[in-house]
Amino acid sequence: SSELTQDPAVSVALGQTVRITCQGDSLRRYYASWYQQKPGQAPLLVFYGENNRPSGIPDRFSGSTSEDTASLTITGAQAEDEADYHCNCRDRSGYHVFGPGTKVTVL
Amino acid sequence: QVQLQESGPGLVKASETLSLTCTVSGDSVSSTYSYWSWIRQAPGKGLEWIGYDYYIGTTKYNPSLQSRVSISLDTSKNEFSLRLRSVTAADTAMYYCARIGTGDDAIHIWGQGTEVTVSS
């Protein structure tokens, strides 16, 4: 199956660390990419591949993969990090699949 | 700086065809490094990948939409388009055009999105 699963919501205290996970069989073979989406805005790529952060994305965003689970970690979460986070991965056929998204609340 | 801009009708009648265009600036739809993609998001829901086209004519579509969807490139206008046939209320969504990197499969560039409502 090429489905991806994510926790619906997580919360983190200001300045603390939060890890968002994405699980699926495709992640055993291909890397996830992660997108931040704030209300009323288009998604924004924040991490991809083995260890890639687009220009302009703070280094408090990092990613990792272990077996069938990809993780996006925000170290020292800021108020502006409150958003929905979506993971994405391709499968063997080249189709792309999104996880359902995780709503991150910064307390 | 690559920019994408969606355009098309915001209201489509049920059973008709939804047609959207994405105008590309700062890159070429003939690029070997880019898959040109459409993604949508129904109100209050997650993102759904619709499909992509590549300059050599390779297309990939979400299996759940494959029977109704087509994506094509227009190299003369440097734009690409989406056609979704026989729409229903379930196709009401924000539609985004996007560029996927061929080397890393990451969606690097997104358009701002265009809202499409299917009316009965």
Side-chain angles (χ1 to χ4, degrees):
Chain A
S1 170
S2 57
E3 291 185 358
L4 299 176
T5 60
Q6 295 181 247
D7 290 331
V10 296
S11 60
V12 57
L14 184 67
Q16 296 303 300
T17 297
V18 62
R19 188 175 73 167
I20 308 159
T21 60
C22 175
Q23 187 172 20
D25 285 343
S26 295
L27 295 170
R28 296 181 182 273
R29 189 179 186 93
Y30 301 101
Y31 286 110
S33 52
W34 291 93
Y35 304 86
Q36 177 192 71
Q37 187 179 29
K38 297 181 179 179
Q41 297 184 16
L44 174 70
L45 178 66
V46 294
F47 199 88
Y48 66 101
E50 185 176 13
N51 187 22
N52 298 287
R53 200 181 316 107
S55 174
I57 301 301
D59 61 6
R60 63 179 178 269
F61 290 90
S62 62
S64 62
T65 302
S66 177
E67 299 188 347
D68 68 344
T69 301
S71 301
L72 177 72
T73 300
I74 309 174
T75 303
Q78 302 299 303
E80 61 264 32
D81 299 334
E82 186 163 291
D84 293 330
Y85 290 84
H86 308 271
C87 63
N88 177 270
C89 185
R90 59 160 291 175
D91 65 13
R92 293 190 185 203
S93 299
Y95 303 135
H96 282 248
V97 177
F98 285 97
T102 297
K103 181 177 182 61
V104 173
T105 300
V106 180
L107 303 173
Chain B
Q1 181 183 359
V2 181
Q3 291 186 312
L4 307 179
Q5 178 65 60
E6 304 90 349
S7 59
L11 190 64
V12 181
K13 292 182 179 179
S15 80
E16 296 190 345
T17 297
L18 180 161
S19 296
L20 298 175
T21 297
C22 182
T23 301
V24 179
S25 58
D27 195 359
S28 169
V29 297
S30 298
S31 167
T32 60
Y33 302 107
S34 305
Y35 297 128
W36 301 100
S37 184
W38 289 93
I39 295 158
R40 71 181 183 179
Q41 187 172 35
K45 303 296 185 182
L47 299 168
E48 181 180 29
W49 177 74
I50 298 172
Y52 69 67
D53 195 3
Y54 185 46
Y55 83 106
I56 57 173
T58 302
T59 54
K60 294 283 186 183
Y61 300 127
N62 186 323
S64 70
L65 299 171
Q66 187 154 4
S67 64
R68 299 193 293 129
V69 69
S70 64
I71 297 173
S72 59
L73 308 183
D74 186 333
T75 56
S76 66
K77 296 180 179 180
N78 207 38
E79 61 188 29
F80 61 105
S81 62
L82 168 71
R83 286 174 56 85
L84 183 65
R85 297 175 290 277
S86 304
V87 297
T88 69
D91 296 309
T92 293
M94 181 71 77
Y95 285 76
Y96 297 100
C97 61
R99 185 185 82 169
I100 300 174
T102 57
D104 53 35
D105 290 312
I107 308 166
H108 291 266
I109 307 293
W110 296 71
Q112 66 184 26
T114 188
E115 194 167 356
V116 177
T117 300
V118 177
S119 67
S120 55

XYZ file of all heavy atoms in Angstrom, chain B residues 16-81:
524
model
N -19.999 18.770 -15.830
C -19.204 19.420 -16.869
C -17.703 19.202 -16.613
O -17.319 18.449 -15.729
C -19.568 20.893 -16.963
C -21.026 21.090 -17.395
C -21.372 22.526 -17.726
O -20.600 23.440 -17.359
O -22.435 22.738 -18.348
N -16.881 19.869 -17.417
C -15.436 19.692 -17.337
C -14.772 20.900 -16.699
O -15.007 22.032 -17.110
C -14.835 19.447 -18.733
O -15.365 18.230 -19.269
C -13.308 19.344 -18.668
N -13.960 20.624 -15.697
C -13.161 21.655 -15.032
C -11.875 21.828 -15.827
O -11.179 20.832 -16.112
C -12.866 21.207 -13.609
C -12.047 22.049 -12.642
C -12.312 21.579 -11.206
C -10.554 21.981 -12.929
N -11.561 23.060 -16.191
C -10.330 23.338 -16.946
C -9.564 24.464 -16.264
O -10.105 25.556 -16.074
C -10.667 23.736 -18.385
O -11.276 22.676 -19.081
N -8.319 24.198 -15.925
C -7.451 25.187 -15.297
C -6.119 25.257 -16.042
O -5.669 24.266 -16.619
C -7.187 24.832 -13.832
C -8.387 24.798 -12.897
C -7.959 24.305 -11.526
C -9.032 26.169 -12.796
N -5.507 26.422 -15.987
C -4.210 26.635 -16.619
C -3.238 27.165 -15.594
O -3.627 27.935 -14.702
C -4.337 27.629 -17.782
O -5.205 27.071 -18.776
C -2.980 27.923 -18.406
N -1.998 26.755 -15.718
C -0.931 27.246 -14.854
C 0.134 27.901 -15.728
O 0.746 27.231 -16.578
C -0.329 26.102 -14.057
S 0.975 26.607 -12.908
N 0.348 29.173 -15.523
C 1.371 29.908 -16.270
C 2.676 29.885 -15.493
O 2.697 30.202 -14.297
C 0.929 31.358 -16.510
O -0.298 31.342 -17.241
C 1.981 32.108 -17.307
N 3.750 29.494 -16.185
C 5.058 29.334 -15.554
C 5.966 30.495 -15.940
O 6.096 30.828 -17.122
C 5.702 28.004 -15.990
C 7.082 27.841 -15.352
C 4.799 26.825 -15.629
N 6.609 31.095 -14.960
C 7.630 32.108 -15.234
C 8.892 31.741 -14.467
O 8.829 31.182 -13.377
C 7.136 33.504 -14.835
O 6.794 33.542 -13.475
N 10.031 32.023 -15.074
C 11.302 31.731 -14.439
C 11.810 30.322 -14.676
O 12.852 29.940 -14.151
N 11.086 29.549 -15.461
C 11.498 28.191 -15.807
C 10.765 27.817 -17.085
O 9.894 28.541 -17.557
C 11.146 27.212 -14.681
C 11.864 25.867 -14.813
O 12.626 25.671 -15.777
O 11.652 25.002 -13.933
N 11.142 26.682 -17.650
C 10.504 26.215 -18.869
C 9.782 24.902 -18.604
O 10.311 24.012 -17.926
C 11.560 25.995 -19.963
O 11.000 25.302 -21.061
N 8.591 24.767 -19.165
C 7.881 23.496 -19.024
C 8.594 22.387 -19.798
O 8.250 21.212 -19.645
C 6.403 23.602 -19.474
C 5.646 24.571 -18.587
C 6.296 23.962 -20.937
N 9.576 22.747 -20.589
C 10.389 21.753 -21.294
C 11.596 21.323 -20.469
O 12.432 20.555 -20.948
C 10.869 22.310 -22.633
O 9.778 22.616 -23.473
N 11.686 21.835 -19.257
C 12.816 21.498 -18.389
C 12.894 19.995 -18.138
O 11.877 19.334 -17.905
C 12.672 22.226 -17.053
O 13.565 21.699 -16.085
N 14.126 19.482 -18.161
C 14.322 18.073 -17.851
C 14.287 17.819 -16.348
O 14.278 16.672 -15.918
C 15.658 17.570 -18.417
O 16.723 18.346 -17.832
C 15.703 17.713 -19.921
N 14.298 18.879 -15.561
C 14.397 18.759 -14.110
C 13.052 18.870 -13.391
O 13.005 18.800 -12.162
C 15.319 19.855 -13.562
C 16.692 19.812 -14.148
C 17.109 20.776 -15.071
C 17.588 18.809 -13.800
C 18.379 20.736 -15.618
C 18.867 18.769 -14.341
C 19.253 19.740 -15.253
O 20.511 19.691 -15.800
N 11.973 19.015 -14.151
C 10.692 19.329 -13.517
C 9.546 18.484 -14.018
O 9.384 18.280 -15.232
C 10.344 20.802 -13.786
O 11.376 21.662 -13.367
N 8.761 17.989 -13.068
C 7.448 17.437 -13.366
C 6.441 18.540 -13.040
O 6.493 19.135 -11.966
C 7.135 16.230 -12.486
C 8.037 15.038 -12.666
C 8.648 14.448 -11.563
C 8.255 14.459 -13.908
C 9.458 13.328 -11.690
C 9.068 13.348 -14.049
C 9.668 12.784 -12.950
O 10.475 11.679 -13.090
N 5.497 18.763 -13.928
C 4.516 19.830 -13.737
C 3.219 19.213 -13.251
O 2.607 18.404 -13.934
C 4.359 20.616 -15.026
C 5.672 21.195 -15.436
C 6.525 20.707 -16.383
C 6.336 22.332 -14.854
N 7.669 21.472 -16.424
C 7.574 22.483 -15.505
C 5.983 23.244 -13.855
C 8.476 23.495 -15.194
C 6.881 24.253 -13.549
C 8.098 24.378 -14.211
N 2.800 19.617 -12.080
C 1.808 18.848 -11.324
C 0.603 19.679 -10.903
O 0.668 20.913 -10.820
C 2.484 18.279 -10.072
O 1.614 17.459 -9.334
N -0.472 18.999 -10.649
C -1.659 19.593 -10.039
C -1.975 18.845 -8.745
O -1.884 17.614 -8.680
C -2.858 19.526 -10.981
C -2.742 20.458 -12.140
C -2.239 20.188 -13.385
C -3.120 21.852 -12.160
N -2.284 21.305 -14.173
C -2.829 22.341 -13.447
C -3.695 22.725 -11.223
C -3.081 23.667 -13.818
C -3.939 24.029 -11.598
C -3.635 24.484 -12.885
N -2.340 19.625 -7.741
C -2.670 19.122 -6.403
C -3.903 19.872 -5.942
O -4.059 21.055 -6.260
C -1.482 19.374 -5.446
C -0.268 18.539 -5.889
C -1.861 19.032 -3.997
C 1.049 19.076 -5.393
N -4.773 19.219 -5.221
C -5.963 19.915 -4.753
C -6.199 19.669 -3.270
O -5.626 18.750 -2.683
C -7.182 19.499 -5.564
C -7.677 18.082 -5.308
C -8.881 17.775 -6.185
N -9.427 16.439 -5.924
C -10.489 15.938 -6.541
N -11.133 16.674 -7.476
N -10.919 14.725 -6.246
N -7.048 20.512 -2.700
C -7.359 20.433 -1.281
C -8.816 20.817 -1.080
O -9.173 21.989 -1.234
C -6.433 21.344 -0.467
C -6.572 21.217 1.028
C -5.489 21.991 1.751
O -5.056 23.053 1.316
N -5.026 21.466 2.885
N -9.632 19.846 -0.753
C -11.030 20.119 -0.472
C -11.132 20.912 0.832
O -10.230 20.832 1.682
C -11.811 18.812 -0.361
N -12.197 21.673 1.006
C -12.336 22.500 2.215
C -12.180 21.689 3.500
O -12.848 20.675 3.692
C -13.754 23.061 2.084
C -14.020 23.072 0.610
C -13.319 21.863 0.083
N -11.239 22.120 4.339
C -11.022 21.454 5.621
C -10.352 20.107 5.544
O -10.258 19.402 6.554
N -9.865 19.745 4.364
C -9.262 18.418 4.168
C -7.772 18.518 3.861
O -7.205 19.612 3.789
C -9.971 17.690 3.019
C -11.459 17.528 3.216
C -11.785 16.654 4.402
C -13.284 16.400 4.512
N -13.627 15.574 5.697
N -7.154 17.367 3.672
C -5.740 17.320 3.360
C -5.472 17.508 1.878
O -6.381 17.732 1.076
N -4.209 17.418 1.521
C -3.792 17.593 0.136
C -3.983 16.288 -0.638
O -3.751 15.193 -0.104
C -2.320 18.009 0.089
C -1.988 19.331 0.780
C -0.475 19.480 0.926
C -2.571 20.501 -0.006
N -4.365 16.417 -1.887
C -4.544 15.260 -2.764
C -3.783 15.508 -4.062
O -4.047 16.472 -4.782
C -6.020 15.013 -3.066
C -6.258 13.803 -3.965
C -7.715 13.568 -4.267
O -8.505 14.521 -4.293
O -8.074 12.395 -4.510
N -2.846 14.631 -4.368
C -2.088 14.738 -5.614
C -2.959 14.286 -6.770
O -3.565 13.214 -6.715
C -0.827 13.880 -5.509
C 0.004 13.837 -6.729
C 0.814 14.824 -7.208
C 0.143 12.748 -7.636
N 1.443 14.397 -8.355
C 1.051 13.124 -8.639
C -0.420 11.470 -7.706
C 1.407 12.295 -9.686
C -0.059 10.629 -8.749
C 0.840 11.057 -9.724
N -3.044 15.112 -7.806
C -3.871 14.788 -8.967
C -3.042 14.101 -10.047
O -3.457 13.094 -10.639
C -4.535 16.059 -9.537
C -5.460 16.690 -8.496
C -5.298 15.729 -10.825
C -6.002 18.057 -8.906
N -1.858 14.644 -10.318
C -1.015 14.042 -11.335
C 0.023 15.004 -11.840
O 0.133 16.131 -11.355
N 0.828 14.539 -12.817
C 1.816 15.430 -13.424
C 2.073 15.056 -14.877
O 1.731 13.969 -15.341
C 3.122 15.436 -12.628
C 3.958 14.172 -12.653
C 4.584 13.719 -13.815
C 4.189 13.456 -11.482
C 5.373 12.581 -13.821
C 4.979 12.319 -11.481
C 5.567 11.883 -12.648
O 6.356 10.752 -12.649
N 2.668 16.007 -15.576
C 3.134 15.780 -16.939
C 4.612 16.140 -16.991
O 5.083 17.010 -16.247
C 2.326 16.635 -17.922
C 2.497 16.189 -19.374
O 3.195 15.182 -19.628
O 1.905 16.842 -20.257
N 5.327 15.477 -17.856
C 6.770 15.691 -18.038
C 7.000 15.977 -19.509
O 6.253 15.489 -20.361
C 7.523 14.450 -17.571
C 9.016 14.528 -17.563
C 9.676 15.634 -17.029
C 9.787 13.485 -18.078
C 11.055 15.691 -17.008
C 11.168 13.528 -18.058
C 11.810 14.636 -17.524
O 13.173 14.692 -17.497
N 8.058 16.727 -19.813
C 8.204 17.275 -21.160
C 8.286 16.226 -22.259
O 7.954 16.491 -23.398
C 9.445 18.175 -21.204
C 10.743 17.440 -21.421
C 11.385 17.494 -22.656
C 11.323 16.696 -20.404
C 12.565 16.818 -22.871
C 12.506 16.004 -20.614
C 13.130 16.067 -21.847
O 14.293 15.389 -22.053
N 8.681 15.007 -21.917
C 8.772 13.983 -22.965
C 7.435 13.290 -23.178
O 7.335 12.332 -23.939
C 9.846 12.932 -22.630
C 9.576 12.267 -21.278
C 11.225 13.566 -22.669
C 10.504 11.113 -20.968
N 6.409 13.767 -22.473
C 5.079 13.215 -22.671
C 4.657 12.188 -21.640
O 3.561 11.632 -21.733
N 5.512 11.941 -20.672
C 5.148 11.017 -19.593
C 4.143 11.679 -18.661
O 4.369 12.792 -18.196
C 6.390 10.628 -18.780
O 7.351 10.028 -19.635
C 6.020 9.672 -17.661
N 3.049 11.012 -18.420
C 2.069 11.517 -17.458
C 1.817 10.463 -16.390
O 1.904 9.257 -16.650
C 0.731 11.874 -18.124
O 0.262 10.737 -18.867
C 0.879 13.054 -19.055
N 1.532 10.943 -15.197
C 1.133 10.072 -14.085
C -0.094 10.696 -13.447
O -0.114 11.906 -13.189
C 2.250 9.977 -13.041
C 3.512 9.289 -13.505
C 3.350 7.792 -13.549
C 4.684 7.125 -13.887
N 4.557 5.658 -14.019
N -1.098 9.880 -13.182
C -2.319 10.377 -12.579
C -2.677 9.566 -11.344
O -2.438 8.353 -11.289
C -3.480 10.299 -13.573
C -3.282 11.099 -14.842
C -3.429 10.505 -16.086
C -2.951 12.449 -14.779
C -3.258 11.234 -17.255
C -2.778 13.187 -15.945
C -2.926 12.574 -17.170
O -2.753 13.308 -18.324
N -3.273 10.250 -10.382
C -3.814 9.566 -9.213
C -4.803 8.498 -9.701
O -5.732 8.808 -10.448
C -4.519 10.587 -8.326
C -4.986 10.020 -7.007
O -5.432 8.882 -6.929
N -4.885 10.829 -5.977
N -4.586 7.256 -9.313
C -5.482 6.192 -9.789
C -6.961 6.460 -9.525
O -7.814 6.034 -10.309
C -4.996 4.960 -9.003
C -3.555 5.236 -8.746
C -3.483 6.721 -8.503
N -7.249 7.170 -8.453
C -8.650 7.445 -8.130
C -9.290 8.454 -9.081
O -10.513 8.581 -9.121
C -8.763 7.952 -6.688
O -8.203 9.249 -6.567
N -8.472 9.174 -9.837
C -8.972 10.192 -10.761
C -8.655 9.878 -12.218
O -9.105 10.590 -13.120
C -8.371 11.559 -10.404
C -8.674 12.110 -9.018
C -7.825 13.344 -8.745
C -10.155 12.457 -8.899
N -7.893 8.835 -12.443
C -7.306 8.562 -13.755
C -8.329 8.531 -14.891
O -8.029 8.959 -16.005
C -6.542 7.245 -13.707
C -5.765 6.949 -14.973
C -4.588 6.052 -14.720
O -4.372 5.587 -13.612
N -3.801 5.815 -15.748
N -9.512 8.043 -14.625
C -10.512 7.924 -15.691
C -11.094 9.265 -16.116
O -11.736 9.362 -17.172
C -11.642 6.997 -15.231
O -12.322 7.567 -14.129
N -10.861 10.324 -15.319
C -11.497 11.621 -15.598
C -10.510 12.756 -15.849
O -10.930 13.854 -16.222
C -12.380 12.037 -14.420
C -13.512 11.089 -14.103
C -14.501 11.733 -13.136
N -13.953 11.957 -11.811
C -14.002 13.117 -11.171
N -14.551 14.183 -11.734
N -13.521 13.207 -9.942
N -9.219 12.511 -15.646
C -8.274 13.621 -15.609
C -7.288 13.567 -16.771
O -6.930 12.484 -17.263
C -7.506 13.619 -14.266
C -6.570 12.430 -14.164
C -6.760 14.929 -14.064
N -6.842 14.741 -17.209
C -5.716 14.830 -18.125
C -4.936 16.103 -17.827
O -5.519 17.132 -17.468
C -6.168 14.799 -19.584
O -6.963 15.922 -19.885
N -3.620 16.003 -17.937
C -2.709 17.138 -17.737
C -1.834 17.222 -18.971
O -1.323 16.203 -19.449
C -1.850 16.940 -16.467
C -2.746 16.888 -15.218
C -0.828 18.074 -16.335
C -1.990 16.522 -13.942
N -1.667 18.432 -19.477
C -0.865 18.596 -20.685
C -0.037 19.869 -20.612
O -0.405 20.826 -19.930
C -1.763 18.612 -21.917
O -2.697 19.664 -21.841
N 1.083 19.862 -21.340
C 1.982 21.010 -21.416
C 1.774 21.746 -22.729
O 1.516 21.128 -23.765
C 3.437 20.553 -21.331
C 3.868 19.656 -20.179
C 5.380 19.399 -20.272
C 3.504 20.264 -18.851
N 1.903 23.064 -22.688
C 1.908 23.889 -23.904
C 3.233 24.635 -23.917
O 3.392 25.662 -23.252
C 0.734 24.860 -23.906
C 0.611 25.621 -25.214
O 1.649 25.802 -25.910
O -0.499 26.051 -25.561
N 4.193 24.091 -24.663
C 5.530 24.682 -24.651
C 5.552 26.057 -25.312
O 6.369 26.904 -24.949
C 6.524 23.755 -25.364
O 6.054 23.483 -26.692
C 6.671 22.437 -24.608
N 4.652 26.310 -26.256
C 4.639 27.602 -26.943
C 4.214 28.732 -26.010
O 4.635 29.873 -26.173
C 3.717 27.546 -28.159
O 2.368 27.373 -27.765
N 3.382 28.388 -25.028
C 2.917 29.396 -24.071
C 3.590 29.258 -22.714
O 3.341 30.055 -21.815
C 1.399 29.280 -23.895
C 0.596 29.584 -25.142
C -0.894 29.452 -24.874
C -1.710 29.772 -26.111
N -3.162 29.634 -25.856
N 4.418 28.243 -22.566
C 5.073 27.941 -21.291
C 4.041 27.821 -20.158
O 4.157 28.463 -19.108
C 6.140 28.973 -20.917
C 7.221 28.375 -20.042
O 7.624 27.223 -20.236
N 7.698 29.144 -19.079
N 3.071 26.987 -20.402
C 2.045 26.754 -19.396
C 1.595 25.302 -19.448
O 1.907 24.577 -20.393
C 0.849 27.695 -19.609
C 0.155 27.530 -20.938
C -0.907 28.601 -21.189
O -0.785 29.734 -20.673
O -1.875 28.283 -21.917
N 0.907 24.884 -18.427
C 0.330 23.539 -18.445
C -1.091 23.609 -17.902
O -1.471 24.566 -17.229
C 1.201 22.524 -17.698
C 1.435 22.786 -16.228
C 0.767 22.042 -15.265
C 2.357 23.734 -15.813
C 1.009 22.247 -13.913
C 2.607 23.959 -14.471
C 1.922 23.216 -13.517
N -1.855 22.583 -18.239
C -3.274 22.659 -17.940
C -3.800 21.374 -17.326
O -3.197 20.302 -17.436
C -4.055 22.980 -19.214
O -3.869 21.941 -20.161
